[in-house]
Amino acid sequence: MQIHVVKSKIHRVKVTGADLNYIGSITIDEDLMDAANIIEGEKIQIVNNNNGERLETYAIPGPRNSGEITLNGAAARKVAKGDILILITYAIMDLEEAKNFKPALVFPNEETNLLN
């Protein structure tokens, strides 16, 4: 049996931008992506703490040490600058592997989105 488990989570980051005219995705400071073990193009779930929206898109790296969290394309309609998000990725693995797996949990500074 295989199950879906949390692979990584970036907890409570602030939206820095929303670009409706971009093709799509979420731009994330590459330092945060590295800390959370998220790769470019990886499917990511976005949970908006301000309005309850949940959506999925894919991650693209933003400039390092910028704190950038920008929703692009249609996803830009689901957030406002300053909203607080939780970003989650999942992995599919065997049940026994999942029992010992430890996800990457990242808790950046809530004001700057930078790693402490």
Side-chain angles (χ1 to χ4, degrees), residues 6 9 44-57 71 75 78-79 85-88 90:
V6 173
K9 178 169 88 166
I44 188 163
Q45 181 181 41
I46 301 163
V47 179
N48 187 327
N49 281 6
N50 291 79
N51 63 20
E53 290 282 354
R54 288 177 173 256
L55 61 119
E56 293 178 341
T57 188
L71 278 290
K78 303 290 188 177
V79 301
L85 308 180
I86 298 171
L87 310 177
I88 308 164
Y90 298 89

Side-chain angles (χ1 to χ4, degrees), residues 39-101:
I39 64 167
E40 184 172 359
E42 185 170 355
K43 182 178 176 179
I44 188 163
Q45 181 181 41
I46 301 163
V47 179
N48 187 327
N49 281 6
N50 291 79
N51 63 20
E53 290 282 354
R54 288 177 173 256
L55 61 119
E56 293 178 341
T57 188
Y58 60 94
I60 60 173
R64 289 189 179 279
N65 201 37
S66 67
E68 182 176 356
I69 301 291
T70 301
L71 278 290
N72 303 304
R77 294 199 183 273
K78 303 290 188 177
V79 301
K81 188 174 179 180
D83 281 358
I84 300 298
L85 308 180
I86 298 171
L87 310 177
I88 308 164
T89 64
Y90 298 89
I92 300 171
M93 58 186 72
D94 293 327
L95 181 61
E96 291 305 312
E97 180 184 7
K99 288 179 182 179
N100 296 312
F101 180 77

